[in-house]
Each structure stands twice: as C-alpha cells, then as structure tokens.
Amino acid sequence: MDVLDQSEIRIPRRHTGRRKPRWQPTVQEALKCEKSEKRRTSAIMLGLSIKEVSAALREGKLSATELCRKCLQRIKKTRHLNAYITVTEELAMRQAQEADDRLLRGKPLGPLDGIPFSVKDNFCTENIETTCASRMLRGYCPPFNATVVQKLLDQGAVLVGKTNLDEFAMGSGSTDGVFGPVRNPWSYAAPYRTLSHGTDPDSDWVITGGSSGGSAAAVASLSSFLALGSDTGGSTRNPGSLCGVVALKPSYSLLSRHGLIPLVNSMDVPGIMSRSVHDTAIALSVLQGRDEKDSTTVQAPDSHPAALPQEFDVRDLCVGVPKEYHAPGLSAETLSQWTRVAAMFERAGARVCEVSLPHTQYSIVCYHVLCCCEVASNMARFDGLQYGHRSAVESSTEALYATTRHEGFNNVVRRRVLSGNYFLLKQNYERYFVKAQQIRRLITEDFRRVFASGVDVLLTPTTLSDAATYSDFIQEDNRTRSAQDDIFTQPVNLAGLPAVTVPTSLSSRGLPLSLQLIGQRLQDRKLLAVAHWMEQQLDFPLIRFHDEDDVQDTKSERNRDRERTSGS
Amino acid sequence: MAASCSGSSAILHKCVPFKSMCNMHQCSGVFIRRIWTSGSKCQLQPKLQSKSASQMVGVVALEIHAQIQAKSKLFSSSRVGFSAPPNSHVSFFDASLPGTLPVLNRRCVEAAVMTGLALNCKINTKSLFDRKHYFYADLPAGYQITQQRVPIAVNGSLSFSYLGGKKRSEVMTKSVRVRQIQLEQDSGKSLHDDQRSRTLIDLNRAGVGLMEVVMDPDMCCGEEAAAAVRELQLILQTLGTCQGNMAEGQLRVDANVSVHHPGEPLGIRTEVKNINSARFVARAIDYEIQRQIEVLESGGTVLNETRAFDSKTGMTVPMRDKEGLQDYRFMPEPNLPPLFVYEGVDTVPDGFDPAHVVVIDRLKAQLPELPRVKRTRLMEEYGILPEHSFTLVNEDGLMDFFESVVQKTKMEPRKLIGWVIKELMGNLNQQNLKVTQSPVSPEALAQLLNLLESGFISSSAAKVVFQEMWKAPEKCVEQLVKELDLGLISDREELVKICQRVMDAHPDLVKVIRGGNKKVLNKLMGVVQKESKGRADPVQLRNILEEMTS
C-alpha cells in the first residue's frame, strides 16, 4: 500500500534567525503554505510543539492524516539514521483517520489526539513486532500493549513506529543492537557539517547516545513529536542530551512499567522525549499514575493541570551544584555551560550553592552489580521454549537452552548474565549483592540529606561532552563506555529520583550540549517548572539539515553498514 | 498418557525433545534392580528389625506444598481448575511473556494467614518475596517467586494424634514444630512422551498459589508423619484454604529422612518426593528409614540426594535430574513491594481502605472450629471416648453422618457410636468405600436404631437387619424386619413354648441349673435365642427360664 505523498520534500536550509524565547515558527507561518513552498513548510510544521500542532488540528488548519503522512515521509527521508526498527505506516494512517473523525466532530480525546509518536522497541505493542534489538526477540509480536503505550493510544496519539536501541537497552551508544547503530541527526545538520569542514558524513557521523538512541533521533529529526524511551542508568537522558531534545526520567513508580521489557526492574522507568519541556509535561500528565498491573506504581501526588506555570519565579529557588560531579573527563565546553546556567539562575535571584554527594563515586560499581544480577534473572525466561529465537540444536533440553541463549543474545547481554549469576551465587551474595544494596542506600541517603537541607533542584551535566563519532566510540567496549557515560545520570536511578535533561547550546563542533536537573522524589512537576524556566532563558536552535544531498549519499553507506552488522 | 498428550498437542504450547529425561528413565531402571537385590534380603517391617538395627532411629521432617483454594492464581487473574484442557488457564504473566508483572492475589494471602493462625504461627506483618532460579521446562520464567528470607508465618506447631497402643485403639498425641509457611508459585506440568522422545508442557498449574509448610525434624517414623499429614489436611479442609486432595496434587508431601543413634548428631538426609497419598507417606518413609539403616550397617554411606517413591514397588529410587546441589541464586523480587498485613483495623495506615487489606484480627474471628476443638466438643457433648471422637473427625464425612443419626433417634449417642464406628465403618472399610458412598443412609440407620430402642427388635436382630440393609438399600427398615421375621416375640405363651422345647432337648443343662449352677442359665438362653432367631426380649426370657427351671 502507498499512502505517502510522493512529492519530494527538502529540508529547509535556514531558519529565521534566533529569537527569544526559543525559536519557534508561528502556526500561521507553518500553515500559510503555497504548493511551491510545501517542502519547506512541512519541515516547519513538523518542528512545531505539541501544543501548537494540537491547536492547529482542533482549529482545522491541519488534518491528522496530513500530519501523519508528513511524519512517515520524514521517516523515509531520514532512514539513514536507522532510528526506527519498525514503521507502523498502515496502522498510523488508520489511527490518524480516526483522529480526524473525532476532530471533525469537534470531540478530540485530549491534547495528544492526532499527534504522531514513536516508542522504543522494548515496550510491548499489541501485534506489532517488539524486538529489543535482539535476535532473541526478532519476529516476536506481543499480545498486549504496555500501559504507557495504551495510555497514549487512548488519548488518540498516532503510533508511527518502534525505535532502535542497544540490545535489551544495555548500552550507552545505541550502537549494540542487532539492527545496527543509530546515527545522530545532528551529524547531518548544518552546524556540524560546516564546522567539521566537509569531512565525509559516512565516516564522521556521531552517535546518538543510548540506549534510547532511536527515540532521541526520531524526536530530534522531527519524525515524531513525542517518543517513549526507557531509563535505567541514563538511557533516556543520555541520548536526549546528545541529540538536543528534552528528556525526562520520571520518579520511579510514577509511571507503569507493565509492558516494558525489563532491564533492571528496581531502576527502570519509562522516559519521555520531546522537543520542549512543555510537551514533556503534557505527556507526563497523561502517562503518570497508579496502574493495577504494576504493583510498584503510586498515585500521582496531586492532580495538577497539564500546563506549566507561564510565570515561574526562581527567586525562591535553591539550586544545588554537586561538587563531586566535576568528574575527570568533563569537557571544557560542558563545564562552561554548567557554569553559565548556574550563573543564569543566580542572576535571576535563585540561591545557588555547592553541595556534596560523597557516595556518588561508588555509583558505577554498585549499579554494575545490581544491574547484572537483575539482568541474569530477567533474561532467564528466554529459553526458546515459548517465544522468541529457538536454536535448531535439540540434542537435549540443556543443549537447546544453551545454544538458544548463545545465538539469541549478543556479547554484552551474555557477559552481564554471566556476571550476574556469579554475583548471586550463595557464596558471593553477601559480598556483592548485599553490599551493593547497602551502597545504594547510602547514595539515596546523600540525595535525601541534600534536599532536606533546603535544596530544591540539583544542576549537573548530563554527559561528559558532546557526542563522540562512531569510530571513536567503538574504540572502547560497551562495559567501559556505559561506565563512563552514565556517571551523571545513574545515581538518580539508584535513588529513584526524577531528572530531566535540557539542551543548552551547540558545541564548537556544532553538536548539542545539555544539562541535567534533578528533583525530589515525586516532585516531577516542580522539576519541569524549573526546567521550563531554564529552557526559556536558553536559546537552543531547532535542527536544520545541511542539505538533501547528504541524506542521499548516506543511504548506500547505511545499507552497507547494516549488512555488516547483521552478518557478523 | 503419551497418547492423550499427543492427541491434544494442538492446544499445547510447544513440544520439547527431552532426550535427557529418557536417559534418566533408563538409568533409574538400573537403580531399581540394584536396590531390589540389596533390599530384598531383609524384611522392611520396622518391627522385625535385628537388634543392632533397632538401635538406630529415623528422623523425619516434612515439607508440604498445599495448593491454595482460590478462584485465581497467586499473581495473575487466570482461573484455577484441575483437569481443565491443557493450557486453557494461562495468562500472559503465567506464560512469562516479557514485560508482564506479578500482582498479588489477596485471597491467597488471607488463606496463608488463616493457615498460619490455625497452626499457632506468628504472622509476620511484613513479609518479602524472592526469586529462586533454576532452569526447567515447566518453569517458564526461569525462576519461582517464593518467600525465602521473610515468610508470611513462622514458629508454629501442629499437634496430631494417631491410634496406637496394643490394640491400636489408644489415642497417642504428639506435636511437631512448624518452622514457617511461605507463599509461592506452583510450576507447570511436563508430560514426557517417551515414544516420540519429547516433552509437552501444560501451564494451567503454573502460578497457582502454594503454601509451603515447613516442619522441623520432630518425627520418627512413617506412621507419625502420615498422622501429621492427615491432621494438616483436616485443618486445611476445615479452613477452606486447600482442598487437600493428594491424588490431585493439591497437597504434596516431601519428606526429609535421616537415621542416627539417639543422642548423636543427625545423619545425612535424603529428600523423598513423589508421595501422592497419605498411605504412601508412611510406606515411603519407613522404607527409606530401613534402607538407610541397611546402607549404614553394611558399611556404606547415605548420599544427600533426592529420591522418588515408586508406589508400585513401594521403594524409593534416586531422581537423576535433581542430582547434585543446586545453587538457586536467590534474589529479592523487585516487582513486588513488601507484603504488609495488619494486626487490627486500627493499625491500617491512612490512605488504605481496610476492606482491601489483610487484617489478622478479622481473619482470627472468622476461624472455624478446628479438628482438635471439634474432637473435644464431641467427647463432651456426646459422652463418647477419645478414640471414637478421633475416628469421627478423621474419617471424611463420618461426623456429619453421626450427628445426623443422633438427631433422628432417641438412642443415647454413647450407645449409638458403636454402630457408627463398628458396623458402619467396618462395612465401609471392608469394601473400601467412603462414608458418602455408604448404601445405608443416616435416616435408615436411625430408623433401625429406633426399632431397637423401642424394644421392637433385639440388638442381635438389629445387626442382622443392618447387614440386609447394606445389601438391599432400596428396602425400608420395617419391610426388612417383617420379611426376616425378626420382630420381638411379645406373646408370652409363644416364648414359653419355645423354652419348653429347648428344655426338653437339653435335660442335662436343666439338671445342672436345678443343681444350683445358675450360670448355665445363660447357655440355655443362648440356645433359645438361636431358636427364636434373636427375637426374644432377653429380660423377659430370663424371667421365664428362671421360673421354668426353679
């Protein structure tokens, strides 16, 4: 079937310059398009915020099917990014049509009705392949929707596809999945192409970060207005940061994990990615709350409205800056952003103070032990008997198990399973698991103490620097990379706190730099209010691609790359 | 079984070739032979042991898995049903589809708390769930959710009785410590099709709630263990927390058995599994005690292993697939918060609906009359003996039968109990019937006893009628009495005639009586009763004979 508009779309070469607050095309600008300008305006339309596009849908200035078609076209145009594993074209068009029917009757389901979104491929989607980017689950179609997916569908949001990731969300680059690495859209954007002096985009492209790299790339490249990621040690915030999108890791237990294929149950949270804090807040209000299917969920603390306060006074705010986050390897540029934003808060009247989180340094090793243990346990169900990959070796049940698991999992998963089982052995349990849990408590206690002393939010870097090129990134193995890249994000998961990353500016290489705000448990709304204020003061640009030819060129390269990955 | 399995394979999940299991079967055959040769040399009855062997005694601890009687499973909403079509009661969670999470069934928690209270346990107001890992085809998640660290109930006791002594009519009472009761998931079932060398999996049972009752090694033989199992079964059935049918696997008994010389440390134990009736509990344990004694006496060592009881041969054999010590790699279950139960409604924290939490006091108030209390009540209420009340409660349905007869007759319960225990149970046992299958209904027995009580028939005649009622349940009692001509002879003249006839036939006896030996009168009475088919009223008969021989 072919529902796509066949006309060529070119990505605009230039935006209307910088403005304050953050650059946004007006709806009128986006919609008063003549046919000759169609290509240009479609990108502008895709760059609108959810709030704006939702208003346009209600006012009938735009149809949901048209919007959906544009997103699907954008997905095709950006296929070289390898952001999507599955594109649900047919379903999306059907959902969009239903949204249009409701919109025509003047009865939209809510602010997300007709809004295209994508979902990381470790959330179950009913009758839609859910792979976890693993050979183990290739071809697996769950018979149910994850609660967070269902909630978005119930709001009329339009699912355009399932996004790429590291296998079973284990990684920080989105480079270790069976479908190959995800490319950062900013690799093909004007600033990077200009500043990297015209080197070959096929070899110098940068990674998205991970493990929710596909979701981050989808939102950053304007093919989805909203994407779900998952965040266990930073998997939503890390790629959010490197791709220049707003990425929220909500408080543990605020969002249901039912249908999220687990990495570490006690740390996993569905993450929200969008291009503005406001859009994130809309999604959060839809997704949060108790779910009978997940016993660890709690009721959202209060029934606050979806909208964030327009005027937020930071003068009553105390912003903590943890001294331990001045970590080795922190780039000068990230540090200067950190300093700049802290100063910005201070200038606006907030109290900025240095705080100490002494046990943060142990977070990596603690996380490593707990993560491997739960991975070993969670992966035990993949034995080839009921679903997923099944080896042809059937000489005995044990041989069937062993070869199925060997063939189905990549090295990263297998190593974590092995380590986890070792840590859980009776003779090792006290030495590793129990000790790690004790350290986890100390880390949690660090945060509690700081917040009890009057700090409202913590301001930290999200990543050490801007995105690395793929060729640099793969110089180190997954384990080393995860340990390096998660240091600012992971303690938050151990403590169950909410954290959001907000892009601040482009680096000297033309790549996004971001900072993280950490809030108190279940105070996600307050955290977003602060993030919203910060976003308004900053001036982060919308992506603009270098030119269409770059996109064309990379296609062949991408295919080569994919063959190589799947053939190995 | 293989045929039925392959027939329904279309609705089964997957079939797995299971070569290793086939190997096991072959190997266990070898073991059977070996043990047979060593074991056949001596008698397996403990009472016939040689002197040196009798110095060693058995030590028995039980681990009992009781399937919780509930509409749905422990962590999912799929139904619980025995003998449903394979894989018809399987939720996404039961099949361990990735992304599914456990949701605790309150009914199962209440059942465990009630059972804990009935077994005098301390109920832990906060308990925890753990994962126990092992790979097995009918354990789809690769781990079982159980309560290893902090179970729901601890430190209880179970007192039980059995009939012992010389005539096996004396009530012996003992108590074992109950270490803990833990909630856990049942596994699925593997059906091995040896012919096609494959295994079929049925997940209907996977995830059904179990209470594992762990007892301390306080017993010494099969009989005690069987009595303890029976008492637990009665308690669970009374509470309604488990149906307790061993043949259907609702109650599964694993026995940890070792032997030692009294006063010395406990010996190495084996775990005996696959015991599926109360009768086999005693047989399996006694066999295993005897086997271990023989192994040790012949200079061998007992291996710490899992053995299966074979009900056909009455022996235990090693289970190959459970060989070696497993490391279960226990880990806290991260998807379930701690399980809180509350002492009273007043201790339920704000924000929780007391109707939706488990409150101990509330359950305590709902506890039904437990078997022990019931036995005491029966003794006091009806003036019956301890062994009678024991039998009444321990035989399924017998107490109801008894009480129903009591209600319908004028006969003293104390007299009536003999009819129920001796006549009714004697006949039932002889024909291997349950009380509910008795051809004689409580109503019919009551009618018979009323005839006896009103003096219409004699006691010996009543026994004859009872046997006839057993054979012809469709006939009413009066009809049988009439047909058999067993009504008491109320006509004095007729009795005198019979007596005269008997006295004429036994002049020697009459002579002895007249000579002063009154005891011989009884003998004469017996002959008359025989002649009259027991239709003479004994008191009246004695009077007549005394008159006639004086």
Side-chain angles (χ1 to χ4, degrees):
Chain A
M1 83 154 250
D2 186 4
V3 291
L4 285 176
D5 183 346
Q6 290 298 314
S7 64
E8 265 285 291
I9 294 171
R10 287 225 337 258
I11 292 149
R13 280 160 195 265
R14 192 141 296 162
H15 278 318
T16 45
R18 288 184 164 192
R19 295 184 193 177
K20 278 205 172 193
R22 185 177 172 228
W23 182 88
Q24 287 288 359
T26 64
V27 177
Q28 284 73 19
E29 253 183 305
L31 298 169
K32 68 174 183 193
C33 51
E34 298 299 316
K35 275 211 165 152
S36 58
E37 284 187 304
K38 198 171 177 183
R39 287 175 296 210
R40 175 191 154 82
T41 50
S42 69
I44 297 176
M45 181 204 291
L46 294 178
L48 292 172
S49 73
I50 290 178
K51 189 183 170 191
E52 290 162 332
V53 89
S54 176
L57 287 169
R58 277 165 214 245
E59 287 158 20
K61 291 175 180 164
L62 175 67
S63 77
T65 38
E66 192 186 346
L67 184 65
C68 179
R69 194 174 292 133
K70 297 278 182 242
C71 281
L72 291 169
Q73 281 167 349
R74 174 55 68 114
I75 291 172
K76 285 198 172 171
K77 286 286 162 204
T78 55
R79 207 173 269 167
H80 59 285
L81 299 176
N82 202 17
Y84 291 83
I85 291 174
T86 305
V87 180
T88 50
E89 194 172 306
E90 204 171 327
L91 172 80
M93 286 309 290
R94 205 164 59 231
Q95 286 179 325
Q97 187 58 57
E98 287 164 11
D100 274 340
D101 294 346
R102 288 187 296 269
L103 288 160
L104 266 176
R105 289 200 311 272
K107 285 184 178 160
L109 293 168
L112 294 178
D113 206 348
I115 305 293
F117 75 104
S118 54
V119 174
K120 188 178 181 181
D121 210 23
N122 60 349
F123 285 94
C124 291
T125 43
E126 189 175 350
N127 297 325
I128 298 167
E129 194 178 346
T130 300
T131 66
C132 287
S134 174
R135 195 173 167 203
M136 188 57 96
L137 282 180
R138 237 176 159 163
Y140 172 66
C141 290
F144 65 97
N145 280 325
T147 297
V148 284
V149 172
Q150 190 60 51
K151 280 186 165 180
L152 291 176
L153 294 175
D154 289 345
Q155 289 286 315
V158 173
L159 176 66
V160 292
K162 302 292 295 289
T163 57
N164 205 348
L165 64 154
D166 287 301
E167 182 161 333
F168 281 102
M170 296 181 207
S172 60
S174 299
T175 51
D176 284 320
V178 74
F179 300 106
V182 185
R183 296 177 176 210
N184 193 324
W186 289 89
S187 313
Y188 304 93
Y192 181 67
R193 295 259 59 92
T194 311
L195 293 167
S196 61
H197 306 295
T199 45
D200 179 12
D202 281 358
S203 60
D204 68 358
W205 56 273
V206 298
I207 59 152
T208 54
S211 64
S212 313
S215 289
V219 173
S221 64
L222 316 184
S223 64
S224 291
F225 285 83
L226 176 71
L228 292 180
S230 64
D231 195 312
T232 311
S235 278
T236 296
R237 287 160 289 155
N238 176 290
S241 165
L242 299 186
C243 293
V245 302
V246 176
L248 171 72
K249 174 237 175 264
S251 295
Y252 184 81
S253 76
L254 188 58
L255 267 64
S256 169
R257 291 179 294 114
H258 171 254
L260 167 61
I261 297 178
L263 174 58
V264 184
N265 303 281
S266 61
M267 298 180 211
D268 290 343
V269 217
I272 300 169
M273 291 177 170
S274 72
R275 288 186 297 268
S276 77
V277 175
H278 194 276
D279 289 355
T280 301
I282 293 173
L284 178 68
S285 64
V286 165
L287 295 173
Q288 67 186 358
R290 185 162 154 61
D291 178 16
E292 280 193 354
K293 292 173 181 152
D294 178 354
S295 309
T296 61
T297 52
V298 295
Q299 202 59 258
D302 43 38
S303 51
H304 26 224
L308 290 169
Q310 272 305 312
E311 298 296 320
F312 183 77
D313 195 350
V314 294
R315 277 175 300 180
D316 302 333
L317 206 65
C318 179
V319 179
V321 177
K323 61 176 180 189
E324 288 83 2
Y325 281 53
H326 290 271
L330 182 65
S331 76
E333 279 187 301
T334 306
L335 179 60
S336 93
Q337 287 301 315
W338 193 12
T339 317
R340 172 191 160 216
V341 172
M344 199 178 77
F345 272 106
E346 205 154 30
R347 268 202 312 279
R351 199 153 57 87
V352 176
C353 56
E354 191 186 74
V355 297
S356 173
L357 299 165
H359 296 97
T360 286
Q361 53 179 315
Y362 305 115
S363 149
I364 294 290
V365 64
C366 165
Y367 175 88
H368 177 68
V369 171
L370 296 177
C371 173
C372 290
C373 290
E374 289 201 32
V375 164
S377 177
N378 288 331
M379 296 296 146
R381 71 190 57 215
F382 298 103
D383 54 15
L385 294 194
Q386 310 203 52
Y387 42 76
H389 175 70
R390 185 172 182 171
S391 166
V393 176
E394 295 192 333
S395 57
S396 77
T397 309
E398 287 71 23
L400 173 67
Y401 285 162
T403 48
T404 294
R405 291 165 68 77
H406 185 85
E407 292 163 4
F409 294 139
N410 71 3
N411 270 333
V412 178
V413 179
R414 289 207 306 273
R415 278 176 199 158
R416 291 201 196 182
V417 169
L418 182 66
S419 316
N421 279 318
Y422 175 79
F423 297 143
L424 287 176
L425 284 177
K426 208 171 176 184
Q427 82 236 30
N428 296 335
Y429 186 76
E430 290 283 327
R431 258 195 301 170
Y432 295 100
F433 190 84
V434 171
K435 205 155 260 180
Q437 272 190 318
Q438 289 165 342
I439 292 169
R440 181 178 190 173
R441 181 160 294 186
L442 291 174
I443 290 168
T444 310
E445 188 54 28
D446 277 357
F447 281 113
R448 198 201 57 75
R449 211 188 46 252
V450 164
F451 286 123
S453 74
V455 169
D456 295 292
V457 290
L458 297 171
L459 178 69
T460 78
T462 316
T463 49
L464 287 166
S465 63
D466 58 3
T469 60
Y470 178 67
S471 47
D472 280 346
F473 188 79
I474 57 169
Q475 298 303 309
E476 298 279 5
D477 68 16
N478 180 295
R479 155 109 178 78
T480 314
R481 279 300 180 191
S482 299
Q484 287 170 348
D485 298 338
D486 288 350
I487 52 163
F488 299 133
T489 48
Q490 205 178 62
V492 167
N493 294 80
L494 291 167
L497 305 175
V500 62
T501 177
V502 179
T504 58
S505 72
L506 294 181
S507 70
S508 57
R509 293 162 69 213
L511 296 172
L513 291 168
S514 305
L515 291 176
Q516 174 179 242
L517 288 167
I518 302 170
Q520 300 179 57
R521 199 172 130 65
L522 296 177
Q523 302 230 3
D524 303 52
R525 181 62 47 166
K526 182 176 173 189
L527 175 71
L528 287 183
V530 179
H532 187 48
W533 181 88
M534 186 172 128
E535 179 189 48
Q536 284 175 323
Q537 314 308 310
L538 298 164
D539 188 25
F540 189 77
L542 194 70
I543 196 167
R544 56 198 174 92
F545 287 107
H546 187 241
D547 64 38
E548 192 73 349
D549 296 342
D550 285 350
V551 177
Q552 295 295 339
D553 281 352
T554 53
K555 273 185 181 169
S556 55
E557 195 274 342
R558 183 202 144 261
N559 288 337
R560 272 206 310 278
D561 191 71
R562 192 161 179 170
E563 278 158 26
R564 192 180 63 224
T565 318
S566 52
S568 61
Chain B
M1 188 169 79
S4 72
C5 293
S6 53
S8 54
S9 63
I11 39 176
L12 286 172
H13 263 284
K14 284 268 169 88
C15 27
V16 190
F18 224 123
K19 288 262 173 64
S20 62
M21 288 304 294
C22 304
N23 293 339
M24 186 206 101
H25 285 291
Q26 287 160 12
C27 293
S28 64
V30 175
F31 275 100
I32 288 172
R33 273 191 297 282
R34 187 167 65 75
I35 284 169
W36 183 245
T37 49
S38 65
S40 61
K41 281 182 208 153
C42 76
Q43 283 295 320
L44 299 176
Q45 299 302 319
K47 280 163 197 163
L48 299 177
Q49 284 164 18
S50 67
K51 264 187 191 167
S52 59
S54 68
Q55 289 170 358
M56 288 192 114
V57 294
V59 176
V60 182
L62 298 177
E63 284 174 17
I64 299 175
H65 288 89
Q67 248 181 30
I68 298 171
Q69 193 178 343
K71 286 200 187 84
S72 53
K73 296 185 180 179
L74 182 55
F75 296 121
S76 78
S77 57
S78 37
R79 301 191 69 79
V80 175
F82 185 75
S83 76
N87 296 310
S88 59
H89 294 334
V90 185
S91 72
F92 301 149
F93 174 78
D94 305 330
S96 79
L97 296 194
T100 53
L101 299 168
V103 180
L104 184 58
N105 179 347
R106 190 171 77 239
R107 158 70 196 158
C108 292
V109 178
E110 288 172 346
V113 170
M114 285 181 85
T115 306
L117 290 172
L119 296 179
N120 314 303
C121 290
K122 171 182 174 279
I123 307 297
N124 281 325
T125 49
K126 179 188 176 186
S127 59
L128 303 169
F129 289 98
D130 305 282
R131 292 180 179 181
K132 176 182 179 178
H133 298 89
Y134 59 92
F135 280 107
Y136 207 74
D138 54 24
L139 186 76
Y143 56 83
Q144 175 198 37
I145 303 179
T146 177
Q147 295 194 298
Q148 192 237 356
R149 292 166 299 163
V150 188
I152 184 123
V154 292
N155 298 337
S157 66
L158 169 69
S159 70
F160 59 93
S161 305
Y162 55 96
L163 296 179
K166 274 184 192 154
K167 293 159 89 181
R168 302 191 62 77
S169 64
E170 203 177 316
V171 178
M172 321 283 275
T173 299
K174 243 197 120 161
S175 179
V176 301
R177 289 168 294 166
V178 173
R179 191 181 302 165
Q180 64 184 55
I181 300 175
Q182 64 201 42
L183 282 165
E184 61 182 37
Q185 298 172 296
D186 210 339
S187 63
K189 277 181 182 165
S190 298
L191 309 172
H192 305 299
D193 179 349
D194 288 346
Q195 274 177 335
R196 302 187 195 190
S197 98
R198 63 180 187 174
T199 296
L200 301 167
I201 312 285
D202 177 8
L203 293 180
N204 279 351
R205 207 181 66 178
V208 169
L210 293 179
M211 296 177 279
E212 181 177 349
V213 181
V214 183
M215 296 178 193
D216 280 331
D218 294 345
M219 289 168 286
C220 67
C221 64
E223 186 176 23
E224 281 186 6
V229 169
R230 178 59 185 145
E231 185 69 7
L232 180 67
Q233 192 180 32
L234 281 172
I235 291 172
L236 297 174
Q237 286 167 341
T238 308
L239 295 172
T241 57
C242 171
Q243 287 177 305
N245 187 328
M246 286 186 77
E248 288 181 5
Q250 287 155 350
L251 199 67
R252 299 195 284 274
V253 178
D254 298 337
N256 286 315
V257 179
S258 65
V259 295
H260 73 152
H261 293 283
E264 288 179 9
L266 295 181
I268 293 167
R269 64 185 166 87
T270 59
E271 187 177 6
V272 183
K273 287 181 175 286
N274 206 23
I275 307 172
N276 57 16
S277 87
R279 202 155 44 97
F280 293 152
V281 170
R283 279 180 64 188
I285 290 171
D286 285 339
Y287 173 86
E288 182 59 18
I289 290 173
Q290 196 54 36
R291 185 191 69 84
Q292 290 186 13
I293 289 173
E294 278 158 26
V295 167
L296 292 174
E297 289 198 327
S298 58
T301 48
V302 174
L303 298 174
N304 180 208
E305 61 183 355
T306 303
R307 302 176 66 88
F309 176 67
D310 182 342
S311 59
K312 288 196 188 92
T313 60
M315 299 187 300
T316 65
V317 291
M319 285 173 86
R320 280 298 297 272
D321 60 327
K322 303 267 177 176
E323 216 175 46
L325 282 178
Q326 291 228 36
D327 193 320
Y328 291 117
R329 291 158 286 132
F330 283 101
M331 185 188 92
E333 166 57 65
N335 293 322
L336 289 165
L339 165 58
F340 287 100
V341 298
Y342 304 95
E343 290 289 350
V345 175
D346 52 323
T347 59
V348 177
D350 292 342
F352 287 90
D353 182 353
H356 292 146
V357 298
V358 177
V359 179
I360 298 170
D361 285 350
R362 209 160 50 197
L363 293 172
K364 220 178 251 175
Q366 287 172 21
L367 281 182
E369 187 183 51
L370 292 173
R372 190 165 29 89
V373 182
K374 201 178 280 175
R375 288 187 198 105
T376 316
R377 176 178 65 82
L378 289 173
M379 280 159 57
E380 287 167 359
E381 197 171 328
Y382 301 117
I384 57 177
L385 295 169
E387 59 265 34
H388 289 160
S389 80
F390 177 82
T391 309
L392 278 188
V393 171
N394 277 40
E395 292 297 334
D396 261 335
L398 190 62
M399 194 191 70
D400 288 343
F401 194 105
F402 168 75
E403 291 198 309
S404 153
V405 179
V406 168
Q407 274 177 12
K408 295 181 175 80
T409 72
K410 285 162 256 154
M411 186 182 264
E412 281 268 318
R414 218 171 22 187
K415 282 165 74 183
L416 188 158
I417 188 74
W419 281 87
V420 172
I421 304 269
K422 273 205 188 126
E423 313 305 323
L424 178 72
M425 282 314 296
N427 276 22
L428 288 173
N429 285 342
Q430 212 164 39
Q431 294 178 29
N432 218 358
L433 294 176
K434 291 180 196 155
V435 174
T436 48
Q437 294 171 311
S438 165
V440 174
S441 67
E443 290 75 21
L445 180 59
Q447 282 173 21
L448 176 67
L449 298 181
N450 279 337
L451 289 181
L452 174 62
E453 194 67 4
S454 62
F456 188 73
I457 53 172
S458 69
S459 156
S460 53
K463 282 177 186 163
V464 177
V465 176
F466 184 83
Q467 293 308 328
E468 290 306 312
M469 287 161 73
W470 198 269
K471 283 180 228 154
E474 69 285 356
K475 293 187 180 167
C476 79
V477 180
E478 275 89 354
Q479 193 189 346
L480 278 173
V481 172
K482 206 177 274 173
E483 280 177 21
L484 295 167
D485 196 17
L486 285 173
L488 279 186
I489 302 165
S490 46
D491 185 357
R492 190 181 157 86
E493 287 306 303
E494 200 183 335
L495 265 185
V496 171
K497 266 187 218 163
I498 297 172
C499 286
Q500 193 56 58
R501 238 185 3 250
V502 170
M503 280 168 69
D504 293 348
H506 297 91
D508 45 334
L509 289 181
V510 176
K511 201 172 167 187
V512 176
I513 295 166
R514 285 189 175 139
N517 190 347
K518 297 285 178 198
K519 276 184 188 165
V520 182
L521 192 75
N522 289 337
K523 198 162 184 186
L524 208 58
M525 276 180 73
V527 183
V528 176
Q529 283 294 28
K530 203 172 175 187
E531 194 85 346
S532 69
K533 292 192 252 172
R535 289 157 67 222
D537 173 42
V539 182
Q540 198 182 12
L541 178 60
R542 179 172 282 273
N543 287 340
I544 293 171
L545 280 178
E546 275 174 0
E547 260 173 49
M548 291 172 77
T549 54
S550 61

